[in-house]
Amino acid sequence: MPTARPAEPADLHYRVEPSDLHAHLFHVVLTLAHPAAGQEVSLPVWIPGSYLIREFAKNLQQLKARQGRRAVPLTQLDKHRWRVDCRPGRPLELRYAVCACDPSVRSAWLDAARGFFNGTSLCLRVHGQEAQRHTLEIASTDATAHWSVATGLDALATDERGFGLYGAADYDELVDCPVELGTFWVGHFDACAIPHRLVVAGATPSFDGQRLLDDTRKICEAAIRFWHGAAGKAPHASFLFLLHAVDDGCGGLEHRNSTALVCGRRNLPRQQQEAKAGENYTTLLGLISHEYFHTWNVKRLRPAEFSSYDYSRENYTDLLWFFEGFTSYYDDLLLRRAGLIDDAAYLKCLAKTINQVLQTPGRAVQSVAQASFDAWVKYYRPDANTANATISYYTKGALVALCLDLTLRREGHATLDDVMRALWTRCQQGPMTEADLHAALHACAGRPFDAELQQWVHGTAELPLTDLLAAHGVDLKAETPQLAQRLGLRVAQDHGLRIQTVLRGGAAEKSGMAAGDEWLGVEARGQGWRVRKLDDVAFYAGTETALTAWVARDGRLLRLALELPARGQAGSARKKARHGTATPAQPDTISLTPSDRNALRRWLD
């Protein structure tokens, strides 16, 4: 149980009031009991778990300072930092407003129906006093009289709706506990004797809350037992899921004793729905599993570079392939172990991950370790060339985990599960380096894995998926690629056909197509046809392979000679590995088929 704390405000006290709903403004009052001379304050430029400089200070306005009745001058030092020319030791009050117009899990939102915020968006950091106890008062207004509050912070003095005073041991804890405000559905369950709450905002009347509670409990129990065995004790005393259902969206952000999630309303379970989880609901369960697994893997066991967060700049690490990728490997695997999906559904999820990697030419350009380091400028800033220049540390990292797990199991001395638990013990639930992973693999397997990690993580050679899967009862089979894959294209087909990405080495690139082009028509055998979707291209081409494509670019009409690849031919060119030999030919689309059920069950169970 959390340690009891006094109910009075701390020396660092924030009062947050959702006072201007239609203007999307939170009003904040920060009181410092003992400021330093020339006290500096700042707002973080990023939020841990989302590796992009987001410049939260752009939403802060009307910052003013007072000591008693005296206004105190403020000097802005840079984009997110201010110096207060105050007298030391006397209480200082800072007042400001924050515009909350970001509906994601990373920032803050406020309107007449709902409020949400992370402390990194609302709470100024008091330099030199980050390690002191902080309190947060969430105030109600006439406009929010029917709202409630949910957060993972310790409640010190709150009313029945959750408004009131909360405490945090330090600034890190304060900003690591998001806050949900509004009218929402609430459910409770215990997993391995640990209390959990599930808060759902935006659900439809058909929402089946009990089913989501039951299935989330199974996920949590599977994760706790994975890390600690049947009788082990989890590191958190309680846990809170904050789920916002929207018309269309999916995402999550991990925290030490909570997680903020967004899903499409159609992904929620509905009353009188069939017992077997459909693809939409499986996506939601996989998201829940992923973020809950992060409670151990990145929030406690974490990169050594994250031992202490620097909220003022990028925090670089080349280990996101481990912390995000390995979590991505286990999120669906734990659904299978929890009995929420069957073997066929799991293999479908795994095939989707493999296809995402195989259909990304950037896998031959950038290693997954480099992709981790470059997350700040590439992963969260995708453009038309992203697929050609980089690889996702989520998907490629998950496949590295798969290859390690299947290699360990084939050799018969250990599994990746054993390695993860060995790392938890070795690193004492704290900072980790790649050297720790090397040591844990060596200790568990009885041999070093340096060569594999160098090739799979720091190199760009293809992963040995076919052989490893075959050894565990799964055949990897090529599927006939769709036209977009044969051409090497990613397109948008909404009231017309617009090219979003031209993949490296494909037929579309050879023809001269470019991202942003609008594909207007094709000529085949001397006849011209208007096209509005890719199916039209195949329809008018028939058996013809030599076409002329009409595209519009920057107001000009262009005629491009296009050679349509045969149906069995993939569109992306085969690359050369760094050592100079050709990489194995990989299909652009694969499926996974069980070939030995007993071998498959030994892996999945």
Side-chain angles (χ1 to χ4, degrees):
M1 295 296 291
T3 303
R5 295 174 179 171
E8 67 274 4
D11 287 350
L12 297 170
H13 176 68
Y14 302 80
R15 186 180 189 274
V16 172
E17 182 179 288
S19 57
D20 203 339
L21 306 185
H22 298 304
H24 314 288
L25 290 176
F26 283 103
H27 288 271
V28 183
V29 180
L30 167 57
T31 303
L32 291 69
H34 305 288
Q39 179 69 62
E40 288 190 16
V41 296
S42 65
L43 201 63
V45 302
W46 71 291
I47 181 170
S50 183
Y51 307 104
L52 178 68
I53 298 300
R54 297 187 181 275
E55 313 292 17
F56 296 124
K58 67 185 178 183
N59 299 313
L60 189 148
Q61 60 193 54
Q62 299 175 309
L63 177 60
K64 298 178 181 179
R66 299 191 67 86
Q67 283 187 303
R69 296 181 180 180
R70 185 177 72 92
V72 177
L74 285 157
T75 302
Q76 186 162 359
L77 303 175
D78 55 32
K79 63 183 180 180
H80 74 119
R81 192 165 50 101
W82 294 263
R83 183 178 65 242
V84 188
D85 295 325
C86 58
R87 297 174 182 174
R90 297 185 180 182
L92 170 67
E93 182 180 273
L94 299 175
R95 290 179 175 265
Y96 55 95
V98 173
C99 185
C101 290
D102 184 342
S104 77
V105 297
R106 309 177 194 98
S107 187
W109 172 264
L110 183 64
D111 66 6
R114 172 181 176 264
F116 172 85
F117 67 87
N118 290 284
T120 44
S121 291
L122 260 67
C123 298
L124 286 168
R125 179 169 64 98
V126 180
H127 293 206
Q129 300 190 41
E130 295 92 339
Q132 294 189 27
R133 192 171 69 91
H134 291 56
T135 50
L136 172 67
E137 179 187 356
I138 304 173
S140 183
T141 66
D142 291 341
T144 63
H146 59 294
W147 284 14
S148 297
V149 176
T151 178
L153 288 168
D154 286 347
L156 303 180
T158 58
D159 62 21
E160 67 279 0
R161 294 183 293 120
F163 286 95
L165 192 65
Y166 293 86
D170 51 29
Y171 184 79
D172 286 340
E173 183 179 320
L174 175 74
V175 300
D176 197 28
C177 293
V179 177
E180 176 78 25
L181 304 98
T183 56
F184 42 71
W185 180 91
V186 184
H188 303 263
F189 64 88
D190 285 349
C192 299
I194 296 173
H196 291 66
R197 277 187 298 159
L198 177 61
V199 167
V200 182
T204 64
S206 64
F207 167 53
D208 188 345
Q210 189 57 52
R211 179 174 182 181
L212 186 59
L213 279 178
D214 293 341
D215 292 346
T216 303
R217 175 183 54 80
K218 293 174 183 177
I219 292 170
C220 295
E221 289 176 343
I224 294 169
R225 288 167 182 160
F226 171 89
W227 288 100
H228 308 289
K233 185 177 180 181
H236 46 283
S238 62
F239 197 87
L240 171 65
F241 292 94
L242 299 175
L243 175 59
H244 182 211
V246 298
D247 183 59
D248 184 30
C250 183
L253 190 62
E254 67 274 4
H255 301 277
R256 279 181 70 88
N257 70 341
S258 64
T259 183
L261 309 167
V262 172
C263 78
R265 292 189 183 94
R266 292 170 180 81
N267 289 22
L268 291 173
R270 297 186 296 277
Q271 296 170 9
Q272 300 180 339
Q273 197 174 28
E274 64 178 68
K276 185 178 180 180
E279 187 171 346
N280 287 346
Y281 186 41
T282 298
T283 298
L284 172 57
L285 294 179
L287 175 64
I288 291 170
S289 179
H290 184 97
E291 301 304 336
Y292 194 67
F293 199 83
H294 271 320
T295 308
W296 291 265
N297 196 40
V298 88
K299 293 309 298 183
R300 290 173 174 82
L301 186 66
R302 62 192 183 277
E305 296 88 346
F306 293 175
S307 297
S308 178
Y309 294 122
D310 184 343
Y311 295 101
S312 68
R313 62 176 183 83
E314 296 90 342
N315 289 218
Y316 292 100
T317 177
D318 61 3
L319 283 174
L320 295 181
W321 59 269
F322 177 87
F323 290 99
E324 291 292 354
F326 281 41
T327 299
S328 296
Y329 173 61
Y330 278 109
D331 55 21
D332 289 331
L333 186 55
L334 289 186
L335 295 187
R336 163 60 182 78
R337 292 179 181 176
L340 295 172
I341 59 175
D342 58 19
D343 294 350
Y346 174 73
L347 292 180
K348 185 176 181 180
C349 292
L350 183 57
K352 181 179 179 180
T353 301
I354 295 173
N355 282 322
Q356 287 173 336
V357 172
L358 294 181
Q359 293 166 19
T360 304
R363 74 186 190 279
V365 176
Q366 187 181 52
S367 73
V368 73
Q370 291 172 322
S372 300
F373 198 85
D374 283 344
W376 297 92
V377 294
K378 292 189 176 180
Y379 184 80
Y380 286 96
R381 292 177 177 172
D383 58 28
N385 191 51
T386 294
N388 296 320
T390 188
I391 188 67
S392 166
Y393 49 78
Y394 284 88
T395 53
K396 177 72 179 290
L399 297 188
V400 170
L402 170 70
C403 290
L404 285 173
D405 196 11
L406 298 187
T407 301
L408 289 163
R409 291 173 183 273
R410 184 171 62 180
E411 295 179 2
H413 300 294
T415 69
L416 190 60
D417 301 6
D418 301 320
V419 174
M420 297 298 287
R421 289 188 285 265
L423 281 169
W424 180 258
T425 300
R426 174 185 175 87
C427 299
Q428 299 179 3
Q429 309 177 26
M432 174 193 138
T433 66
E434 187 175 325
D436 291 312
L437 176 59
H438 282 260
L441 282 165
H442 196 165
C444 291
R447 71 165 180 91
F449 271 72
D450 299 19
E452 287 88 346
L453 290 175
Q454 181 61 37
Q455 185 177 23
W456 300 346
V457 173
H458 298 280
T460 58
E462 301 288 0
L463 298 172
L465 296 169
T466 302
D467 292 343
L468 288 172
L469 286 167
H472 292 82
V474 180
D475 286 340
L476 186 151
K477 295 185 177 180
E479 299 286 334
T480 301
Q482 299 296 314
L483 180 58
Q485 295 159 243
R486 289 159 55 202
L487 291 170
L489 279 179
R490 295 178 184 176
V491 300
Q493 304 182 93
D494 185 14
H495 305 294
L497 181 58
R498 187 167 296 277
I499 297 171
Q500 294 180 314
T501 298
V502 178
L503 297 178
R504 190 61 36 81
E509 184 186 60
K510 292 175 182 176
S511 76
M513 289 184 174
D517 287 354
E518 184 183 3
W519 195 345
L520 300 174
V522 295
E523 292 180 30
R525 295 188 177 182
Q527 298 185 35
W529 303 95
R530 180 76 166 94
V531 298
R532 291 179 174 83
K533 52 185 182 295
L534 272 181
D535 287 347
D536 293 343
V537 176
F539 177 73
Y540 292 122
T543 58
E544 195 71 16
T545 57
L547 308 176
T548 298
W550 280 91
V551 302
R553 182 186 304 164
D554 191 30
R556 295 182 300 161
L557 296 180
L558 305 177
R559 297 176 75 249
L560 305 176
L562 175 65
E563 188 69 26
L564 198 64
R567 288 186 177 274
Q569 182 180 345
S572 57
R574 303 305 169 201
K575 305 297 177 183
K576 296 285 185 177
R578 287 189 174 181
H579 50 72
T581 59
T583 60
Q586 292 282 359
D588 275 0
T589 300
I590 60 94
S591 63
L592 300 180
T593 305
S595 58
D596 183 339
R597 290 284 183 181
N598 290 330
L600 177 61
R601 293 286 171 81
R602 285 194 295 271
W603 162 30
L604 299 184
D605 290 343

